[in-house]
Amino acid sequence: MIHTVKDWMSSPVVVIDPDSSVSYALTLMRRRDIRSLVVPLEGFPTQFGIITTTDIRDKLIAFDRNPAETTVRQIMTTSVITARQEWSLKECSLAMQEHRVNHLPVVDETNNLVGMISTTDLFMAAEEVGWEEGFSG
């Protein structure tokens, strides 16, 4: 059996407004036990930003910025690579490696947001499924 991104992605996706405070993003991430939030971009229904724990570490904490006075828009990543839900886990892993990211929003054939996949999801798949025939597609 070939395991696809759709089999292991999280859905629905937790999104946040770009003008929300980073304090709110932190609370949302902690309460949902997640490490990234998708940011819909105004005027571009099929393009997204993302805010991750790495963005918070590198762009907020490292510069001693106040999370209550900093907006998501100010520290989010805007050049977001997306995954396709029909990709094999191997394709997804290679894309994450190539672009040095740990989270990929997942889109359908019309680029609508349908899920999120992370390195943690890939780890869980590897643990649960192992490297059975067809795992990588």
Side-chain angles (χ1 to χ4, degrees):
M1 176 180 182
I2 295 175
H3 295 272
T4 65
V5 166
K6 185 176 181 176
D7 298 327
W8 291 95
M9 69 184 188
S10 300
S11 184
V13 179
V14 182
V15 299
I16 191 165
D17 186 274
D19 295 318
S20 295
S21 71
V22 174
S23 289
Y24 178 66
L26 291 166
T27 299
L28 190 56
M29 292 165 83
R30 183 180 49 80
R31 289 186 178 166
R32 298 285 182 110
D33 193 27
I34 56 177
R35 289 165 179 74
S36 65
L37 300 167
V38 172
V39 185
L41 298 179
E42 300 106 21
F44 301 97
T46 59
Q47 293 182 356
F48 317 100
I50 193 169
I51 183 170
T52 68
T53 54
T54 302
D55 292 319
I56 292 164
R57 180 195 69 203
D58 294 351
K59 300 172 187 174
L60 184 90
I61 297 169
F63 289 95
D64 201 26
R65 295 169 85 170
N66 182 336
E69 296 174 358
T70 305
T71 65
V72 168
R73 181 187 311 278
Q74 292 174 297
I75 68 166
M76 70 182 188
T77 300
T78 56
S79 55
V80 176
I81 307 303
T82 57
R84 304 294 298 209
Q85 59 184 346
E86 66 273 3
W87 282 2
S88 70
L89 295 182
K90 179 179 180 180
E91 288 173 295
C92 183
S93 178
L94 290 171
M96 287 177 165
Q97 182 181 8
E98 177 184 346
H99 297 285
R100 294 187 170 129
V101 296
N102 294 309
H103 305 87
L104 290 176
V106 181
V107 295
D108 64 15
E109 59 279 345
T110 58
N111 286 329
N112 290 310
L113 184 65
V114 294
M116 174 71 80
I117 191 154
S118 70
T119 53
T120 302
D121 299 319
L122 297 179
F123 294 158
M124 290 188 319
E127 178 187 25
E128 190 170 316
V129 178
W131 199 257
E132 65 184 36
E133 188 174 333
F135 181 76
S136 64

